[in-house]
Amino acid sequence: MRDFSQDHRWLSINTATVRKSLGQEQPLTGIIEACARLQIPAISPWRDQVAASGLPTIRQQVKTHGLKLSGYCRGGMFTATDGAGLSAAHDDNRRAVDEACELGAACLVLVVGALPGALAGKAAHKDIALSRQQVHDGIGELLGHARASGMPLAIEPLHPMYAADRACVNTLEHALDLCDTFDPEQTGALGVAVDVYHVWWDPKLQAQIARAGAKRLLAFHVCDWLTPTTDLLNDRGMMGDGVIDIPRIRGWVEDQGFTGFSEVEIFSTANWWQRERDEVLNTCIERHRSAV
Ligand code: ZN
């Protein structure tokens, strides 16, 4: 297992972590400057943040600083109530693949979607099996374009508490079943993003990480599970402040040969998004060394 205690060369910052500073939305350009200044070698930006600053601007800035992209957030949301909705999702996902290529990302992260309408407050139906079928079909369809573009797709299983509104793939096992279906040769074109927040509780976690192997472990996301958690989405903890044994999980991932970045991804309305950006980034650096 790599020694993280001496430096932060394997640290990546998911830019949602500092998308707000003192409660105010921050432009991605400023976030990138701050990461470069603190010698953070990698980021994983969100599409809306990139769009707000302009993709050519961000591409140039990333290049100027020699930053790596541990991933691009995000594609997915494959489910819909009709054919027009499905094809709109497909078109948008193709664009996400193209953007990820332009930015030189290591992978496009997929949050696959769930019951259509649920995220907006009213699910159009209760048929989660139908949603899973649409996700299955959507990944299969997108993979052709992603393969042709050389952009790996990383399915991110989300904690089951998001099964209704964000992702109906909730275990690493399910995500890997999809990988087996569409990429049985394990070419690296389709894999998984292991986010400790979503999978730490899973009794099959170690076995499924071993099943994934190096070819399919495309991204590793860290934060912590707080007790109590006060918000289902935006109360993620800083590494070391919660109950996840992060070094143990990182050990399992690295046992398979994973040598990528450890990406800090924290959504925290009441705590970290209320603090100064540099304080958050410096805490990420410190905890990367001591708690990851
Ligand atoms: Zn994640």
Side-chain angles (χ1 to χ4, degrees), residues 194-250:
V194 174
D195 184 326
V196 299
Y197 192 73
H198 296 302
V199 300
W200 70 276
W201 56 273
D202 185 348
K204 293 184 179 174
L205 183 57
Q206 183 178 9
Q208 293 299 320
I209 286 172
R211 173 187 168 197
K215 282 279 194 188
R216 286 179 174 166
L217 292 168
L218 300 181
F220 182 61
H221 300 174
V222 297
C223 66
D224 217 332
W225 185 280
L226 300 175
T227 53
T229 291
T230 58
D231 184 285
L232 293 189
L233 183 65
N234 293 325
D235 189 32
R236 292 181 175 215
M238 181 62 67
M239 300 81 73
D241 288 348
V243 298
I244 304 177
D245 190 343
I246 302 171
R248 177 180 290 208
I249 299 173
R250 181 165 73 86

Side-chain angles (χ1 to χ4, degrees), residues 3-212:
D3 178 8
F4 281 6
S5 69
Q6 303 302 313
D7 56 59
H8 57 280
R9 80 180 82 165
W10 299 111
L11 172 63
S12 174
I13 297 292
N14 184 297
T15 58
T17 304
V18 281
R19 74 175 303 144
K20 290 180 185 165
S21 179
L22 301 175
Q24 297 297 310
E25 190 77 20
Q26 300 295 310
L28 184 56
T29 48
I31 294 170
I32 291 174
E33 290 302 322
C35 287
R37 182 163 38 78
L38 294 170
Q39 296 177 309
I40 291 166
I43 60 169
S44 181
W46 285 68
R47 287 184 80 194
D48 65 318
Q49 292 178 296
V50 170
S53 295
L55 193 143
T57 300
I58 298 303
R59 183 182 54 209
Q60 186 55 49
Q61 202 187 6
V62 162
K63 196 172 163 200
T64 300
H65 290 300
L67 283 172
K68 299 271 195 293
L69 263 68
S70 56
Y72 188 48
C73 295
R74 58 177 161 59
M77 297 294 167
F78 293 105
T79 65
T81 52
D82 56 24
L86 292 172
S87 75
H90 180 65
D91 292 346
D92 190 51
N93 276 312
R94 288 178 65 102
R95 284 193 292 275
V97 167
D98 297 342
E99 291 168 24
C101 289
E102 281 203 49
L103 291 166
C107 60
L108 176 67
V109 172
L110 299 180
V111 171
V112 298
L115 301 175
L119 197 53
K122 184 151 180 39
H125 60 72
K126 300 181 181 180
D127 191 350
I128 197 169
L130 172 63
S131 290
R132 288 184 170 138
Q133 186 61 47
Q134 290 180 342
V135 166
H136 169 278
D137 298 348
I139 290 173
E141 206 179 341
L142 184 61
L143 188 59
H145 179 62
R147 269 191 207 279
S149 309
M151 179 50 58
L153 300 177
I155 304 168
E156 181 165 5
L158 259 52
H159 190 283
M161 68 181 168
Y162 304 114
D165 56 9
R166 290 174 195 277
C168 57
V169 171
N170 306 104
T171 60
L172 203 49
E173 183 173 32
H174 187 178
L176 290 168
D177 287 347
L178 290 163
C179 294
D180 280 347
T181 299
F182 293 113
D183 187 38
E185 305 87 3
Q186 306 203 18
T187 63
L190 184 62
V192 294
V194 174
D195 184 326
V196 299
Y197 192 73
H198 296 302
V199 300
W200 70 276
W201 56 273
D202 185 348
K204 293 184 179 174
L205 183 57
Q206 183 178 9
Q208 293 299 320
I209 286 172
R211 173 187 168 197

